[in-house]
Amino acid sequence: MSGEWGRVWRYQGKRGVSWRIRYRDAAGKRVLETLGREPAWSRKRAEVELRRRLVDVEREGYRKPEKLTFTCFAERWLVDYLPGRGLKLTTVEGYEQTLRKHLLPAFGHYELRRLVQEPELIDRYVSEKIRAGYAPKTVTNHLLCLQVMLKQAVRWRLIERNPVLDCERPRVEQAEMNVLSEVEIARLWSAYGELEFEADPHEQVWWRLARTLTFVALGTAMRRGELLALRWRDVQLLEGLLTVREALVKGRFTTPKSRSSRRLLELGPRTRELLGEHWRESPFQGDEELVFCHPQRGTPLDPSKLARCYLRPALGRAGITKPFRPFHDMRHTALTHEAAAGNPMAYVQLKAGHSQSAITERYIHASQVLFPGAAERGEARMFGSTSGLGED
């Protein structure tokens, strides 16, 4: 295809055969673009791309993209785009870490347009990271960061399209949920009592704190950061209600994970009693004081130390040897038992603070798999007063 407005041709270079287009932009400047190499590119595909470019010139005043390395673009993105998005500090830090630790070393020296011309560079990045031992979910998060960046590059008309949109993501296997049974939960309660009894007086208060936190987590299905940021102003013991409005993440107080994570929870009688006893024993009872804090200082707890020194030893004493992540799997346990109890999915979703019902459905499925006999108990409740059902 060639003519007054543009031309397509097949170019034989040192690195193989590639396809190029030439046209004039809205400023009348001649633009030469290398689209990519065969077999990914063909004459037909190159002609389609040229037509798109000519339409952009006519309708949107498209101008020749400037030559820009990925490193230079990344710095502009960090300064001109990211601060104005109103993102959580942890989200911004995550983007910056992914960019500086992974994306810049891989793509920083390339011209930005080359990522569009050679999408195999992104495929190669995925393969190299997987070979290096990174989890598929981690690599997918890297691609999501790159996709957000290049989306802005398209908007700024630095590139014509976002090559990450066509990239095949690594397959992410859904992590298996580890859930404690009713018997294991009872054993865990007893284990905390034994460890407290055996400890010296200074340590006993820590074991009581750890047990209370563990069983409030099981009773409320709250996330780790939500538990550690909970204040007494948000606990209404007389009404049996608890408001989740804050989270402690990486030592900083912030808003919960999403809008749906800000929620009002109804406390069951045992959780309510446990919190009441904890309040009576705590020297930090003010509205702004943390519910779960250092017993002598009132300062935020270190979740890693808490898990290492108290939660994991209690699991070991209870004879729970299966893989179990304190906090994370306590939440899984709580939500799975809520589903197994026959509570509606909408209730489980609200209690969990999930923004999408698809996430909650995991717990509905797990309750059916992990608690055999639930269907029989459900029928007994529904049909208990009906005789002869199913008989001829």
Side-chain angles (χ1 to χ4, degrees):
M1 174 181 178
S2 61
E4 181 182 356
W5 299 106
R7 178 188 171 196
V8 168
W9 77 96
R10 187 173 182 266
Y11 173 76
Q12 177 70 55
K14 293 181 180 179
R15 301 179 62 192
V17 175
S18 60
W19 284 92
R20 294 179 171 181
I21 57 175
R22 188 171 64 198
Y23 58 95
R24 291 189 181 275
D25 67 10
K29 187 182 296 184
R30 191 164 68 173
V31 180
L32 172 64
E33 284 189 44
T34 300
L35 298 176
R37 294 199 295 268
E38 289 185 348
W41 284 90
S42 63
R43 177 175 294 278
K44 183 177 180 181
R45 186 180 176 190
E47 289 175 349
V48 170
E49 198 64 31
L50 176 60
R51 283 194 290 270
R52 286 177 180 170
R53 208 72 83 249
L54 294 175
V55 169
D56 288 342
V57 170
E58 181 68 24
R59 295 181 179 176
E60 301 180 22
Y62 178 82
R63 294 174 183 268
K64 179 181 180 180
E66 59 184 288
K67 286 188 177 181
L68 192 69
T69 65
F70 182 80
T71 295
C72 292
F73 163 69
E75 293 301 324
R76 283 176 55 177
W77 184 78
L78 287 170
V79 173
D80 297 339
Y81 173 78
L82 204 56
R85 300 309 99 196
L87 299 173
K88 287 179 176 292
L89 184 58
T90 50
T91 303
V92 173
E93 289 178 345
Y95 278 143
E96 291 176 344
Q97 182 179 4
T98 297
L99 181 58
R100 300 197 186 282
K101 186 177 179 182
H102 300 283
L103 300 180
L104 282 176
F107 304 120
H109 60 288
Y110 290 123
E111 275 194 31
L112 190 62
R113 287 183 294 174
R114 190 167 169 186
L115 299 183
V116 180
Q117 297 165 355
E118 301 179 35
E120 63 268 27
L121 294 173
I122 300 173
D123 295 330
R124 186 185 307 155
Y125 174 86
V126 172
S127 297
E128 288 175 352
K129 289 297 181 182
I130 294 295
R131 281 196 296 268
Y134 287 92
K137 188 176 187 301
T138 301
V139 180
T140 297
N141 288 340
H142 294 178
L143 292 177
L144 289 174
C145 178
L146 183 61
Q147 179 176 317
V148 170
M149 294 180 68
L150 297 186
K151 178 181 179 182
Q152 199 59 27
V154 173
R155 182 171 174 268
W156 287 347
R157 298 188 179 179
L158 301 175
I159 54 177
E160 299 79 39
R161 64 183 181 282
N162 190 337
V164 185
L165 294 177
D166 298 326
C167 177
E168 186 174 344
R169 267 64 164 174
R171 184 176 179 181
V172 178
E173 297 288 345
Q174 193 70 261
E176 183 178 350
M177 289 194 297
N178 295 301
V179 174
L180 298 179
S181 67
E182 297 96 324
V183 173
E184 289 171 325
I185 291 171
R187 292 210 311 260
L188 184 58
W189 176 270
S190 300
Y192 272 118
E194 293 171 6
L195 290 165
E196 179 187 344
F197 179 78
E198 296 169 4
D200 60 53
H202 172 75
E203 282 293 304
Q204 285 180 346
V205 65
W206 280 97
W207 284 110
R208 284 196 298 275
L209 172 64
R211 179 168 69 174
T212 300
L213 187 147
T214 296
F215 282 83
V216 169
L218 290 171
T220 62
M222 292 170 66
R223 299 178 177 91
R224 181 181 73 176
E226 296 168 347
L227 286 162
L228 299 180
L230 184 64
R231 302 180 190 273
W232 285 116
R233 71 181 181 203
D234 296 322
V235 181
Q236 300 168 262
L237 288 173
L238 294 178
E239 295 82 359
L241 300 173
L242 184 152
T243 304
V244 179
R245 70 172 94 234
E246 206 170 1
L248 183 67
V249 182
K250 296 183 178 179
R252 289 190 294 262
F253 291 97
T254 183
T255 53
K257 189 174 182 181
S258 63
R259 180 176 296 180
S260 56
S261 295
R262 302 168 194 169
R263 58 202 188 276
L264 181 67
L265 301 177
E266 180 185 16
L267 297 174
R270 296 183 183 180
T271 304
R272 188 173 172 181
E273 181 181 350
L274 200 58
L275 280 169
E277 182 181 344
H278 181 61
W279 181 81
R280 288 188 292 272
E281 293 182 354
S282 174
F284 305 100
Q285 300 176 340
D287 284 353
E288 295 302 315
E289 303 283 7
L290 295 171
V291 174
F292 301 108
C293 60
H294 192 287
Q296 287 81 43
R297 303 171 192 161
T299 52
L301 294 171
D302 178 350
S304 298
K305 181 180 178 181
L306 195 65
R308 182 177 64 255
C309 298
Y310 301 99
L311 305 188
R312 290 191 185 281
L315 289 166
R317 175 62 69 92
I320 299 169
T321 58
K322 62 187 177 185
F324 192 87
R325 295 163 293 179
F327 293 110
H328 199 74
D329 286 330
M330 286 191 295
R331 176 170 160 85
H332 286 165
T333 296
L335 295 174
T336 302
H337 278 274
E338 287 285 2
N343 288 318
M345 188 172 75
Y347 168 79
V348 180
Q349 181 178 349
L350 287 171
K351 184 165 187 174
H354 289 155
S355 56
Q356 298 175 356
S357 59
I359 303 173
T360 313
E361 286 174 358
R362 294 181 62 204
Y363 299 99
I364 305 297
H365 173 71
S367 70
Q368 295 168 345
V369 173
L370 296 172
F371 297 94
E376 181 179 347
R377 291 192 294 272
E379 284 195 359
R381 179 181 176 87
M382 289 188 292
F383 309 133
S385 60
T386 304
S387 59
L389 186 65
E391 297 178 0
D392 292 334

